[in-house]
Amino acid sequence: MTTTTGTTQRRKGPDLGRLLSDNGALGGLLLLVVTLSLLTPTFLTAQNLLNVGVQAAVVAVLAFGQTFVIVSAGVDLSVGSVAALSGIVAAYTAAETGLPGWLALIAGLGVGALAGLINGVLVSYGRLPAFIATLAMLSVARGLTLVVSQGAPKVTPDEVTFLGSTIGAFLPVPLLVMLGVLALTSFILNRTYPGRTMYAIGGNEEAAMLSGIDVRKNKLIIYALSGLFAGIAGILLAGRLGSAGPQAAVGYELDAIAAVVIGGASLSGGVGRASGAFVGALVLAVLRNGLNLVQVSPFWQQVVIGVVIAVAVLVDTLRRRSR
């Protein structure tokens, strides 16, 4: 009797072991934090932790948009180039056309959403594989970035620069933007009809069609959201740097995909969460920050990060199979 009661009470209480088991990326993040705090006393300082959050912000926002695509069994390779294009457009329209900064910011976001919408048209109506459609957009968006900027960085308007600043003495705006986009992504995935259709399409596209879901229309929404979030990330990056460069966000699409996959999403579709992408982005940021603090060569950092990504995905895959 006592044993049964004790067991029941344990089940009702919080089970940290089960939480970490169900969230492998979170366990890996905690392990990283403990290890790095032992290796260097600088890591756990408030200022450094805020720096980690700021460094994670751009990749996290890209990863949130990428989550929509990966959950629906697609992939978006263009987000890094679209982010750069959005930043350049925002800076160019403010500097060259004299538009108010807030209108320039909207123009940058609009370009990102338009690029994503074109990806959606190519995938859903053109029947192109997502890999090919978004690879083409990667090249087109990067080329347009160079055309608009003429290969030179553009100074951002104050409204964009504010997004990379700090409120008061210690509250970074990029951190607030990242948390806001996290909440929006979670709401879309868990509380809206388009979010539920993303899981249905990723789980079984044919079954989703037979159940009455307009798959093509929803793919337009999915890729437009990915492009819009890339636009937010690009403007956030331009705000942090104080200028929009034509080579900004090169390779960020790979970090975004890695963050989503580290966070537990399946590239086969149907599985993925906003919180997982958030933790995955933090894992990458913490890892880079810690390797810098312990003075690991930048060349070896790429090797370490690649190994960590492979191990994280392998462990998560084995964990899922064991269930």
Side-chain angles (χ1 to χ4, degrees):
M1 185 69 173
T2 305
T3 305
T4 304
T5 304
T7 304
T8 304
Q9 289 176 346
R10 285 196 297 272
R11 285 178 180 173
K12 287 182 180 179
D15 189 340
L16 180 60
R18 184 175 181 180
L19 176 65
L20 295 179
S21 175
D22 291 342
N23 299 270
L26 181 59
L29 177 61
L30 293 178
L31 179 62
L32 269 177
V33 169
V34 171
T35 302
L36 291 172
S37 63
L38 294 175
L39 290 176
T40 169
T42 311
F43 178 77
L44 275 183
T45 61
Q47 185 59 52
N48 187 63
L49 293 179
L50 287 174
N51 288 338
V52 170
V54 171
Q55 292 165 13
V58 174
V59 171
V61 173
L62 288 174
F64 296 145
Q66 193 76 243
T67 301
F68 298 134
V69 181
I70 289 178
V71 162
S72 61
V75 67
D76 190 348
L77 299 178
S78 68
V79 292
S81 296
V82 171
L85 179 60
S86 296
I88 283 290
V89 167
Y92 177 85
T93 51
E96 303 296 333
T97 67
L99 284 176
W102 64 273
L103 278 179
L105 194 151
I106 291 175
L109 296 178
V111 165
L114 178 61
L117 187 62
I118 293 172
N119 281 335
V121 170
L122 293 175
V123 171
S124 58
Y125 291 92
R127 303 288 184 181
L128 289 181
F131 182 91
I132 299 300
T134 58
L135 183 63
M137 181 56 72
L138 179 153
S139 181
V140 170
R142 187 64 66 179
L144 288 174
T145 301
L146 292 167
V147 169
V148 173
S149 66
Q150 294 297 301
K154 300 289 183 182
V155 178
T156 55
D158 292 341
E159 287 80 359
V160 173
T161 305
F162 170 75
L163 296 177
S165 65
T166 302
I167 299 175
F170 64 91
L171 187 57
V173 176
L175 196 59
L176 297 178
V177 174
M178 176 178 66
L179 294 176
V181 178
L182 166 62
L184 176 61
T185 305
S186 183
F187 175 77
I188 291 173
L189 286 173
N190 299 321
R191 301 293 181 183
T192 68
Y193 176 75
R196 291 191 292 271
T197 61
M198 292 175 195
Y199 289 103
I201 292 170
N204 190 319
E205 184 171 326
E206 185 176 352
M209 292 177 63
L210 293 174
S211 67
I213 294 174
D214 189 338
V215 172
R216 291 192 295 183
K217 177 182 175 182
N218 279 280
K219 282 188 176 181
L220 292 181
I221 296 173
I222 290 166
Y223 283 93
L225 282 172
S226 179
L228 175 63
F229 281 31
I232 296 172
I235 290 173
L236 202 59
L237 179 60
R240 275 183 53 199
L241 300 176
S243 66
Q247 297 299 332
V250 171
Y252 277 39
E253 60 277 350
L254 301 181
D255 280 358
I257 294 170
V260 177
V261 174
I262 288 173
S266 170
L267 290 173
S268 300
V271 177
R273 294 179 298 176
S275 59
F278 175 61
V279 172
L282 286 180
V283 167
L284 294 177
V286 165
L287 190 57
R288 284 198 172 96
N289 177 268
L291 292 174
N292 283 328
L293 290 178
V294 298
Q295 299 181 342
V296 174
S297 164
F299 307 124
W300 279 106
Q301 286 186 27
Q302 294 300 316
V303 175
V304 173
I305 290 170
V307 170
V308 167
I309 292 172
V311 170
V313 176
L314 178 62
V315 169
D316 188 64
T317 301
L318 294 175
R319 179 175 59 84
R320 292 177 187 276
R321 287 178 180 174
S322 68
R323 289 181 176 179

